[in-house]
Amino acid sequence: MTGPVRTRFAPSPTGHLHIGGLRTALFNWLFTRRHGGQFILRIDDTDQDRNVAEALAPILRGLRWLGIDWDEGPDVGGPCAPYYQSQRLERHQAAVRALLEKGLAYWDYATTEEIAAERAAAQKEKRQFVYSRKWMAASPEDRTRLEAGGRKGVVRLRMPRDGQCVIQDLVRGEVRVDWVGEQDHVIQRADGSCLYHLASVVDDRDMGITHVIRAEEHLPNTPRQVFMIQGLGSSPPEYAHLPFVAEPGSHVKLSKRKLDQYLKNADFARVTEHGRAIASAVGLPVASDTFNPVIVDFYEQVGYLPQAVRNYLLLLGWSLDGTTEFFTREEMIGRFSLERVNKAPASFDAKKLWAFQDQYMRQVPVDEKVPMVLPYLEKAGVVAPPAAVRKILEFAGDRIKVAGDILDHRHFFLPDDAVPMDEAAFEKRLRKPPEAAGLLRKLQARLDGHDRWDAPSLEALVRDFVASEKISLGQIVHAVRVAVTGRAEGIGMFETLEIMGRERTLARIARALARL
């Protein structure tokens, strides 16, 4: 490796950022930071028909959320601006002209139907299709003649028909491709716009990219790109093709459009349902094509920790020693290398990612969790004093797996008549047991006259009550929980009463008794 490392991540703003794309960005960023180089963010927006104007902001936000910063790119600038591919058309067209002048590309006037007919003939004869170049314009006069006949010309690469392209891939080793199998790919359309592969090569050259680290699906594109960059008089960058991120439990590439299929996986379904419940509570759209665990936005909006997601993505196709799993940001940078990237696809495991989140969340101090969870309550229209939220977090402990889980406890802050009641729990714990109403009234009276209102003293009161009434603790605790929270489950009963406070506790017990 000579000279400073320069890598790039070049997303297309055609939709939300995919987990696989984020993993690719992370590997580029780690490699660059490890070697003290520059990481460039470039927006490859040449596909104007598929670009979505609203898609760019979530992509940038997702990268920043994960802690991936860029040295050059949108909102940062740099010596190689502009960093939007669509704004570099003149550079791309100049490269096309250079390839034409060198005889490495040609104007072609074949129609789509004529190309299809040649392809079909090759298939019928069971031979490899190679375009005959029948409609190639060998001179300016040919172009004039063909255009006068109403034909429209595109520019194609004039690929070699013998020999091999040899690529030294940093992940896959030596890759050899016979040139005869490479088609004369179109690099400029009839309207003058250039296709992605030409634009990408030119931009990589102009931006001094030394290493192209990308998904393995781009490996078949590499020969034509090597041909172009060499034809333009430059040396190819070093290539590293990463294994794709596979569907849960398979070796098929993960897709953001196959949610219904993935929901058959119990772990994937559980994470999806959990995340959607949080999103719905704060008024976020949960359409299947934009809100699922294949999309980066899902994790940010549900309240995962970026360091947990980053750690999990690191291990999607990379391993240090087969046993070490947890890495700080500094350890990731210091230990990352392309030599340890696996060749086999890495299966996405929602349960494993959930385990990383759980482990990281346990390490966050309560005081740091408060500002993480408050926005979820605010978005849900709940006014919650930070001190009370802190108590909930302290008492809930590891029940709060993601920041959005605070919404499971919003009943503490709702008006008494707005707290939803679990009717099945009410029937089981309050209406059905014949002694429930009487016990609850007696306990209400004791609570009303109790001086202190903290969990230890409330527990002592209830245990004295249980002993005097000669009943089990469960006969009253479950009834109180349902009466006060409307739910059958939650944090400790005595801690619940402490957070709720005397007046609200007594008011909610009275409400439950009125229903009986």
Side-chain angles (χ1 to χ4, degrees), residues 244-261:
F244 61 76
V245 178
E247 297 175 353
S250 81
H251 293 288
V252 178
K253 185 183 175 184
L254 187 70
S255 169
K256 55 189 174 185
R257 298 177 181 87
K258 296 168 70 175
L259 176 62
D260 290 343
Q261 176 180 323

Side-chain angles (χ1 to χ4, degrees), residues 224-338:
R224 78 186 83 166
Q225 294 174 348
V226 169
F227 176 78
M228 283 188 282
I229 199 166
Q230 289 179 333
L232 292 170
S234 299
S235 299
E238 295 194 64
Y239 292 97
H241 288 91
L242 310 174
F244 61 76
V245 178
E247 297 175 353
S250 81
H251 293 288
V252 178
K253 185 183 175 184
L254 187 70
S255 169
K256 55 189 174 185
R257 298 177 181 87
K258 296 168 70 175
L259 176 62
D260 290 343
Q261 176 180 323
Y262 301 154
L263 290 177
K264 296 175 184 177
N265 177 287
D267 295 323
F268 192 97
R270 192 177 300 112
V271 167
T272 302
E273 181 181 358
H274 176 252
R276 288 191 163 189
I278 293 172
S280 296
V282 297
L284 291 173
V286 291
S288 62
D289 60 338
T290 60
F291 197 78
N292 70 75
V294 178
I295 304 297
V296 176
D297 289 6
F298 178 92
Y299 300 99
E300 179 188 5
Q301 294 177 358
V302 167
Y304 279 65
L305 292 168
Q307 58 266 37
V309 178
R310 186 170 60 227
N311 198 152
Y312 175 72
L313 289 177
L314 172 69
L315 300 178
L316 269 181
W318 182 88
S319 173
L320 178 65
D321 51 22
T323 57
T324 306
E325 289 192 322
F326 292 92
F327 299 86
T328 65
R329 179 180 182 274
E330 291 70 26
E331 288 171 339
M332 291 182 190
I333 293 172
R335 298 185 178 186
F336 184 81
S337 67
L338 292 172

Side-chain angles (χ1 to χ4, degrees), residues 79-129:
C80 300
Y83 293 94
Y84 290 88
Q85 204 168 66
S86 61
Q87 298 174 14
R88 303 177 62 83
L89 179 59
E90 292 183 5
R91 297 290 298 164
H92 305 154
Q93 291 176 331
V96 172
R97 290 193 296 270
L99 292 171
L100 285 167
E101 290 170 2
K102 293 182 178 182
L104 301 175
Y106 62 92
W107 283 97
D108 182 66
Y109 289 85
T111 65
T112 302
E113 293 75 16
E114 287 161 346
I115 294 291
E118 287 198 14
R119 191 182 301 276
Q123 185 176 7
K124 184 176 181 180
E125 297 168 14
K126 297 182 179 179
R127 58 178 172 82
Q128 183 172 353
F129 167 66

Side-chain angles (χ1 to χ4, degrees), residues 5 14 21 31 41 46 52 56 62 64 91 122 145 158 206 216 263 347 363 393 498:
V5 167
T14 56
F31 180 80
L41 179 65
T46 52
V52 180
L56 180 57
R64 289 193 173 104
R91 297 290 298 164
R145 174 177 54 81
R158 189 166 188 167
D206 289 355
E216 66 174 289
L263 290 177
S347 180
Q363 299 171 15
L393 292 168
E498 177 182 330

Side-chain angles (χ1 to χ4, degrees), residues 429-430 436 439-440 443-444 447 462 465 473-487 493-494 496-497 500 505 508-509 512:
R429 299 299 183 184
L430 286 165
L439 290 173
L440 194 55
L443 181 61
Q444 181 187 34
L447 290 171
V462 172
F465 175 78
L473 186 63
Q475 283 178 274
I476 190 62
V477 166
H478 297 304
V480 173
R481 180 184 298 281
V482 174
V484 172
T485 69
R487 305 173 54 186
M493 187 63 256
F494 308 111
T496 295
L497 298 182
M500 195 69 68
T505 296
R508 292 190 180 190
I509 290 176

Side-chain angles (χ1 to χ4, degrees), residues 210-229:
T210 62
H211 294 76
V212 172
I213 304 169
R214 59 189 181 183
E216 66 174 289
E217 64 196 68
H218 292 284
L219 183 57
N221 306 325
T222 307
R224 78 186 83 166
Q225 294 174 348
V226 169
F227 176 78
M228 283 188 282
I229 199 166

